[in-house]
Amino acid sequence: MPAFTTAPDFVVTGATVVSHDGRRHQDIAVRDGRILAVGDGLATEGIPAVDATGLMVLPGLVDMHVHLREPGMTEKEDFASGTRAAAAGGVTTVVDMPNTKPPVATAERYRQKLELVRNKAYVDFGLYGMIDHDNDGEIAGMAELGAMGFKLFMGQTTGDNRCPNDAAIFRGLEAAAAADLVVGVHAENDHLLRMFGDRLRDSGRKDPRAHLEGRPAFVEVEAVTRIVTMATEAGAKLHIHHLSTAAGLRRVMDLRAQGHRVTIETLVAHLFLDDTAYDTHGNLVKLNPPIRPAADVDALWAGIARGDVDIIATDHAPHTADEQAETDVWQAYGGFIGVETMLPLLLTAAAQGKLTVEDIVRLCAYRPAQRWSIAGKGQIAAGYDADFVLVDPTAESTLDAASLHSKHTVTPYHGWPLTGSVVATYVRGRLVYEKGEIIGEPTGRQVLPVREPAAVAR
Ligand code: NCD
Ligand code: ZN
């Protein structure tokens, strides 16, 4: 019998614990929302046990790219509905993007948003601030309020955000570097994609594929090259969100070979859909950057297999069902939901041998927590938050949009066969989801990045 100085509140028994670097048959003892111990034979008489025999336990996923639409666009989604979807998808931490109405580009807006959402979340959450066309003076203030990092939109997307010019970008990078926080970038060249879009529109095109043709790969490659070059000079920690092309990935590898440091993310959507999806789903699958031809999808999977891709995220980007049915590509919004379907889709890919469950943990929990310095997340180990997801890796089912928890549940994955399902989700030791049901009240907390003392003091 293990010698606990304090008794656990409960022990998870019988499961295979999967981490970023392996799997073991172990028990998990939990107390006061934290993991007390991971090891053999922790279950003792009188201590409540959760029997997870036959299941896998993974660290709760950390999704660094969601749009929960508060404030200003709650007809699409809100913090309660979006984080319920996260809980049901085994995602225990979400980090929310700042392209809201109004955008989160000042310390005051950051404070207001935190106030607005703080009691609504069913899982833990972080909030990004934005680098806009003239707000480098606001970066330190947002950092003091707990900004997880900063989002920089180099190319136009949902929301009324003027893309900053290169001077404003550089000043934003310098300010983020001083605050020791990661800058995450939507890397598309705004001038080029507007020019190509205008050409296609003027030629009378309105079909979904025009969106892909208007955002060719080099538009991403150019923006990646420019931002990596500037971030290195500014000394900023750089992350590229939703890298989508073979050419973009090759360029990142070239830049890394020259000594530039940058992490990259691929989206579930860019891994599971190719351009044939425009024929099936129309503008529902309009996404920025666009869903690409199969050769790009294959290159991203190869990047994952080689370990070149750091992170997988969802870009959970909800719109109303009516908006998603828009047939004119120029009127349609980019993005669709995904936070609840990421883990089932990745488990299905794992069952098919496209990656391992360890890879899923590394890409969706361990590396995100490490990259953004989120203390206590991303691992199942003593002292870490008791955030974990019980998974049945062999359960066969069919993805059903009607079972999802978002405000609008239209998804291109409806009807897809799945191998692997989320059985239960725990956030800081609390059961928040089990077998289709959300359990209890919203008790999610804001998560903060751990910053270097020198930067905090500055
Ligand atoms: C996102 C959204 O709708 O907020 N849309 C998208 O197509 N990806 C914005 C974004 O992440 O670029
Ligand atoms: Zn984006």
Side-chain angles (χ1 to χ4, degrees):
M1 174 174 150
F4 288 117
T5 47
T6 45
D9 297 329
F10 68 95
V11 177
V12 181
T13 64
T16 302
V17 179
V18 184
S19 67
H20 59 282
D21 60 1
R23 58 183 77 186
R24 292 168 116 192
H25 219 81
Q26 283 180 323
D27 299 338
I28 305 168
V30 174
R31 185 186 167 91
D32 293 337
R34 294 227 173 137
I35 295 168
L36 194 59
V38 185
D40 291 324
L42 300 184
T44 50
E45 240 182 38
I47 295 172
V50 174
D51 181 7
T53 305
L55 303 181
M56 287 179 174
V57 187
L58 280 52
L61 304 196
V62 179
D63 187 351
M64 297 306 301
H65 192 159
V66 302
H67 301 267
L68 302 186
R69 305 304 193 198
E70 287 204 52
M73 293 184 272
T74 50
E75 72 281 5
K76 298 174 191 274
E77 190 82 291
D78 60 34
F79 253 69
S81 58
T83 54
R84 279 197 292 266
V91 175
T92 53
T93 304
V94 291
V95 186
D96 191 52
M97 288 293 177
N99 60 325
T100 45
K101 273 188 198 159
V104 184
T106 67
E108 181 56 18
R109 295 258 172 80
Y110 189 98
R111 199 190 53 70
Q112 287 166 353
K113 175 162 175 176
L114 188 57
E115 211 45 55
L116 182 67
V117 305
R118 70 178 333 148
N119 294 318
K120 296 180 183 169
Y122 287 78
V123 302
D124 285 350
F125 65 92
L127 304 178
Y128 291 113
M130 182 185 280
I131 292 176
D132 79 0
H133 63 281
D134 189 23
N135 76 334
D136 50 301
E138 295 287 337
I139 300 297
M142 289 190 272
E144 288 313 312
L145 292 167
M148 181 54 66
F150 297 96
K151 177 70 177 281
L152 166 62
F153 289 97
M154 295 176 84
Q156 220 293 314
T157 185
T158 305
D160 193 12
N161 310 303
R162 219 163 91 204
C163 292
N165 66 28
D166 289 347
I169 290 174
F170 192 76
R171 284 187 279 122
L173 290 167
E174 285 178 328
D180 194 35
L181 291 172
V182 176
V183 176
V185 180
H186 180 124
E188 292 186 286
N189 180 310
D190 198 50
H191 298 285
L192 290 173
L193 59 87
R194 282 177 193 273
M195 184 269 289
F196 284 122
D198 287 348
R199 267 192 201 164
L200 286 154
R201 196 184 289 112
D202 292 349
S203 77
R205 292 282 298 276
K206 283 187 180 173
D207 57 294
R209 246 173 214 281
H211 182 66
L212 170 62
E213 288 173 41
R215 296 172 104 113
F218 89 96
V219 169
E220 178 173 88
V221 173
E222 189 284 326
V224 163
T225 311
R226 183 159 38 103
I227 196 62
V228 170
T229 307
M230 286 200 277
T232 299
E233 203 59 36
K237 295 177 174 172
L238 183 69
H239 174 76
I240 309 244
H241 291 291
H242 47 42
L243 191 83
S244 65
T245 62
L249 180 58
R250 269 199 307 276
R251 180 60 53 91
V252 166
M253 298 314 291
D254 291 348
L255 289 162
R256 281 178 174 167
Q258 290 175 32
H260 295 279
R261 295 180 62 185
V262 54
T263 51
I264 52 175
E265 158 195 307
T266 61
L267 298 185
V268 173
H270 287 135
L271 293 170
F272 285 84
L273 299 172
D274 63 26
D275 64 339
T276 59
Y278 297 113
D279 308 325
T280 326
H281 300 290
N283 289 325
L284 168 59
V285 296
K286 178 177 178 181
L287 177 67
N288 302 322
I291 301 295
R292 303 284 182 183
D296 289 301
V297 178
D298 293 345
L300 296 179
W301 277 109
I304 285 175
R306 287 192 308 268
D308 293 338
V309 172
D310 300 277
I311 280 159
I312 296 178
T314 66
D315 193 358
H316 180 80
H319 300 287
T320 69
D322 283 350
E323 288 165 343
Q324 296 293 41
E326 172 63 54
T327 53
D328 178 339
V329 71
W330 311 116
Q331 298 302 319
Y333 287 100
F336 51 90
I337 57 171
V339 75
E340 190 169 351
T341 46
M342 169 162 66
L343 184 50
L345 289 171
L346 288 173
L347 289 169
T348 303
Q352 294 163 352
K354 297 193 82 164
L355 79 178
T356 65
V357 182
E358 286 84 345
D359 291 333
I360 299 174
V361 172
R362 190 184 78 251
L363 292 155
C364 304
Y366 179 77
R367 284 287 282 144
Q370 187 187 48
R371 175 56 166 152
W372 276 267
S373 306
I374 310 174
K377 306 295 190 191
Q379 294 187 60
I380 295 178
Y384 277 71
D385 288 353
D387 294 355
F388 44 74
V389 49
L390 271 51
V391 153
D392 182 343
T394 57
E396 305 272 347
S397 66
T398 302
L399 201 150
D400 180 6
S403 74
L404 300 177
H405 292 78
S406 278
K407 272 196 185 170
H408 303 273
T409 61
V410 47
T411 167
Y413 310 120
H414 175 70
W416 281 33
L418 297 173
T419 306
S421 68
V422 175
V423 176
T425 306
Y426 290 75
V427 177
R428 283 176 286 101
R430 235 174 50 74
L431 180 65
V432 296
Y433 169 84
E434 188 173 31
K435 296 182 181 133
E437 301 297 328
I438 302 295
I439 318 279
E441 299 301 308
T443 55
R445 287 191 202 149
Q446 188 191 18
V447 292
L448 302 170
V450 178
R451 296 154 69 205
E452 291 296 325
V456 175
R458 231 186 307 255

